[in-house]
Amino acid sequence: MNTTAYAFEQPITERPEIPARFGEDGGKFYYYYDQLADELDEDLTKRLKSQLDSLLIFAGLFAGVNSAFLALTLPMMTADPADDTNALLLQLVKGGNATIDSEADLPSATFSPPPAIYPVNVLFAVSLTCALMSSFLAVLGQQWLVYYRKRSGGGAAHQRKEQLRRQMGAQRWRLELVLDDILPGLLQVGLVIFCISFILYLRTLSTSMSSSISAIVGAALAITVGAAVCATWDRMCPYQSPLSHLLCWTMDRMKPVIVAFLWLVIFLKAYMHEILPKQSPHTEPQMEAGESGSPSKSSSQSEEAQDNSWRLAQEITSRALTLVGRKEETTKDLMVATVKRVILTSEHTAALIYAATNICAINDDESLRQFLSDTDFFDRLHDLFSTFRASSGSLPTQLRAMPEAATKAFASAILHLALSVGTLTDLAPPKDRALVIKNSLQVQPMLSDDMVKYFYGLASWTGLESNLWDGDLKDVNHLLILGIVLDNLFYETYAGSGRFWLLDAIRTLAKFTMSLKLLGTLCCASKVYISFCRAERWKQLPQLFEAVKTTYG
């Protein structure tokens, strides 16, 4: 086994140190990211390639059957030359009776195709075209997959960025949607059209035969539509298909429209209910003094509107050249994408720990806001924190080291995001934020007991380890120091009997060599302690958290 790989695969027994910059942790995070990215990309390409191979086989067989029917029905659109030959031979056999004096008397001159055969041929041709186009696009899709997995030159960092850009491009341009839904959907549409044309063709031959086949095809289509409806109703239903995906997409897009329409109807109904009773046929509009606006005011408003329109036109004109084409992802965008990809998809504990630790090394506000605004990502962080915290308490002592390190890493990442660009409510999971605030008759709502206890758990797992208390805190990350302050603040808030813990934390921290930021932290902690009032602790907690946040930078 490779020495580097062996070193990285060793169990983690303590929380890794927060690196000075993102990714500068000895290559540990990128080691696990590269493994995860290769696994995900390989799974995607293998799955799509297997589906494209199956689609090509079925499309080839289907095109052959369709061509056979077209070869049978297309001649019915034109006159058969054998009919003219047979008519002439029949005239000779009968002794030369002059029933056919010119070409106009031949059967081909008066031939007219059956009315039902034209739509049959059109549908057969459309069905064959769908099969051929799906085959062509399937071959093209295999070429796309080859390009997606193609490796270029350069070092590991260059290849990582290039592959990540391709992966983000595949998501942006819906590669999986095109190859997984649109191509099979196109072939299925061709199959449905073929069945319809086949039934119409049978109707020209026998009505009873056509009815029997129609019943079978109708039952098959009903089963397909029913399965799609079931998959739309239950998103975890295994009967997934391009039709079910289309129905789900349509429902998701139509929900806001339906809700807005209902609210509009309700508003109009209420408005008419309020206005109509107040209207009287005997009342006439009256003009009161000062009702009409002055000419100068009207003129200034008109000029302001023209200026705004002119500025908007200038802005659009000046930015038109820069908006041509899509801007490439920056290094910061790729950094955010790598962390999200690991947190949202990986189940490897070490990879998750290093990803969470590297989040604490990111200081760019825009990048941190991308994390905070992603509900799935933030939910995943909180779920991992809760899962590892529960497992660390249930495992034997000798097996708790790695879950405890993971719990500390996720707690630090959540607190770092909230202290950097968030608020107190951002410490709560997105799915539980509606429960963070409990009903109260006060002007400012109160935080629930359970949420404050949850905040206390986050802060307590973020604080300094005991082995650092005997050293100099000058170079210690300020997140760990603020963890101590918030730990005591939240504990006093919900317990109401531990105020001395906050004072003890301030006195203990004051014994160490301080940097400018740490002095600000201590001043903020003192302010928290002095202004703290048990009677108003719920009301003051969000404000005090903002005071702590101002010292974190």
Side-chain angles (χ1 to χ4, degrees):
M1 180 183 292
N2 187 286
T3 306
T4 304
Y6 177 76
F8 289 166
E9 293 293 343
Q10 294 301 308
I12 300 176
T13 57
E14 60 183 10
R15 174 175 50 189
E17 294 184 3
I18 298 176
R21 295 182 180 179
F22 179 83
E24 295 182 357
D25 57 352
K28 298 181 180 65
F29 169 71
Y30 282 128
Y31 169 76
Y32 291 107
Y33 170 77
D34 290 339
Q35 285 187 333
L36 175 67
D38 288 340
E39 180 182 349
L40 293 176
D41 291 340
E42 189 67 21
D43 176 73
L44 175 67
T45 53
K46 281 186 177 180
R47 177 170 54 83
L48 292 179
K49 188 177 184 303
S50 176
Q51 177 160 307
L52 292 177
D53 290 338
S54 302
L55 189 144
L56 280 171
I57 294 174
F58 180 78
L61 296 175
F62 177 57
V65 174
N66 208 328
S67 300
F69 275 94
L70 267 177
L72 181 65
T73 58
L74 275 178
M76 300 175 65
M77 297 289 294
T78 58
D80 189 356
D83 293 340
D84 293 344
T85 303
N86 293 334
L88 293 173
L89 291 175
L90 182 62
Q91 182 176 352
L92 291 175
V93 170
K94 288 183 177 181
N97 295 329
T99 57
I100 301 177
D101 296 331
S102 63
E103 294 181 358
D105 297 329
L106 293 174
S108 59
T110 59
F111 173 80
S112 178
I117 205 62
Y118 179 76
V120 169
N121 281 283
V122 170
L123 293 177
F124 273 138
V126 171
S127 176
L128 178 61
T129 303
C130 290
L132 295 178
M133 288 299 100
S134 62
S135 301
F136 169 73
L137 293 176
V139 174
L140 196 59
Q142 289 185 334
Q143 295 178 352
W144 296 340
L145 294 178
V146 171
Y147 171 76
Y148 178 77
R149 290 294 290 162
K150 184 179 180 181
R151 296 281 184 171
S152 60
H158 175 75
Q159 291 186 6
R160 184 186 303 117
K161 291 181 179 180
E162 183 178 14
Q163 190 62 21
L164 181 58
R165 287 192 175 99
R166 290 179 181 176
Q167 186 265 338
M168 296 175 69
Q171 288 185 343
R172 184 168 55 252
W173 291 100
R174 306 292 191 271
L175 175 66
E176 191 172 359
L177 173 67
V178 172
L179 300 184
D180 206 18
D181 286 336
I182 295 181
L183 290 189
L186 181 62
L187 191 59
Q188 292 174 11
V189 169
L191 180 60
V192 172
I193 295 175
F194 173 80
C195 292
I196 295 174
S197 57
F198 181 57
I199 292 172
L200 294 177
Y201 172 68
L202 290 179
R203 181 167 295 180
T204 62
L205 303 178
S206 173
T207 305
S208 59
M209 184 185 299
S210 174
S211 301
S212 301
I213 301 300
S214 298
I216 298 174
V217 173
L221 291 178
I223 294 174
T224 304
V225 174
V229 172
C230 293
T232 306
W233 177 260
D234 181 7
R235 299 297 173 92
M236 295 295 105
C237 178
Y239 308 140
Q240 300 292 329
S241 66
L243 179 59
S244 66
H245 296 166
L246 178 62
L247 292 177
C248 292
W249 181 85
T250 304
M251 287 186 61
D252 293 339
R253 297 302 185 277
M254 290 299 296
K255 282 181 181 178
V257 177
I258 296 174
V259 173
F261 178 75
L262 291 178
W263 276 105
L264 179 62
V265 172
I266 294 172
F267 172 77
L268 291 177
K269 183 178 179 181
Y271 180 77
M272 298 301 293
H273 182 269
E274 291 290 331
I275 296 299
L276 288 179
K278 297 180 181 181
Q279 290 181 348
S280 174
H282 303 289
T283 60
E284 295 181 358
Q286 298 179 357
M287 296 294 292
E288 299 181 359
E291 184 178 350
S292 59
S294 61
S296 60
K297 184 177 180 181
S298 176
S299 176
S300 62
Q301 291 179 350
S302 177
E303 291 178 358
E304 183 179 358
Q306 291 178 358
D307 292 340
N308 292 335
S309 302
W310 175 249
R311 284 195 295 269
L312 180 61
Q314 284 183 327
E315 183 180 359
I316 294 175
T317 305
S318 62
R319 298 178 61 182
L321 296 178
T322 60
L323 294 178
V324 176
R326 198 193 63 83
K327 185 179 179 181
E328 191 178 40
E329 294 84 1
T330 63
T331 303
K332 294 179 181 179
D333 295 333
L334 298 178
M335 175 181 64
V336 172
T338 54
V339 175
K340 283 186 178 182
R341 197 176 188 188
V342 173
I343 294 294
L344 292 174
T345 58
S346 178
E347 296 295 337
H348 197 289
T349 305
L352 293 170
I353 291 175
Y354 286 119
T357 305
N358 276 272
I359 291 176
C360 300
I362 300 176
N363 297 319
D364 180 64
D365 290 348
E366 185 62 32
S367 300
L368 295 175
R369 287 192 184 93
Q370 292 184 43
F371 290 125
L372 202 61
S373 61
D374 192 332
T375 304
D376 294 335
F377 174 81
F378 216 58
D379 259 333
R380 173 70 169 166
L381 272 185
H382 283 279
D383 290 341
L384 291 171
F385 167 73
S386 301
T387 301
F388 282 103
R389 182 174 64 170
S391 62
S392 64
S394 60
L395 292 175
T397 305
Q398 61 272 20
L399 300 178
R400 293 181 181 177
M402 195 165 190
E404 288 180 353
T407 306
K408 293 177 182 179
F410 297 126
S412 302
I414 295 171
L415 201 61
H416 174 69
L417 291 173
L419 285 171
S420 299
V421 293
T423 61
L424 179 63
T425 55
D426 290 319
L427 291 177
K431 60 184 178 182
D432 296 334
R433 286 179 189 173
L435 306 176
V436 171
I437 307 299
K438 66 180 183 180
N439 295 329
S440 173
L441 298 177
Q442 300 179 4
V443 177
Q444 184 169 348
M446 299 189 302
L447 295 168
S448 64
D449 291 338
D450 293 337
M451 280 298 103
V452 178
K453 291 180 182 180
Y454 185 81
F455 298 163
Y456 165 72
L458 280 172
S460 61
W461 282 100
T462 307
L464 283 173
E465 290 83 354
S466 57
N467 61 343
L468 294 176
W469 282 97
D470 297 332
D472 188 356
L473 295 186
K474 183 177 181 180
D475 297 325
V476 172
N477 188 279
H478 292 86
L479 178 64
L480 309 182
I481 300 174
L482 281 180
I484 299 174
V485 177
L486 293 174
D487 180 3
N488 291 276
L489 175 61
F490 292 137
Y491 180 77
E492 160 61 20
T493 302
Y494 85 85
S497 60
R499 187 182 301 181
F500 70 93
W501 288 106
L502 184 59
L503 180 60
D504 182 66
I506 296 172
R507 291 172 178 173
T508 305
L509 288 173
K511 298 177 182 179
F512 297 90
T513 303
M514 302 302 169
S515 64
L516 184 60
K517 290 184 178 180
L518 187 53
L519 286 175
T521 302
L522 290 179
C523 293
C524 178
S526 302
K527 178 181 177 182
V528 169
Y529 176 73
I530 294 171
S531 63
F532 197 83
C533 177
R534 181 178 177 183
E536 298 180 353
R537 64 182 188 273
W538 296 103
K539 184 177 180 180
Q540 290 189 2
L541 187 57
Q543 300 174 354
L544 299 179
F545 178 81
E546 291 297 325
V548 176
K549 178 183 172 182
T550 56
T551 67
Y552 185 68

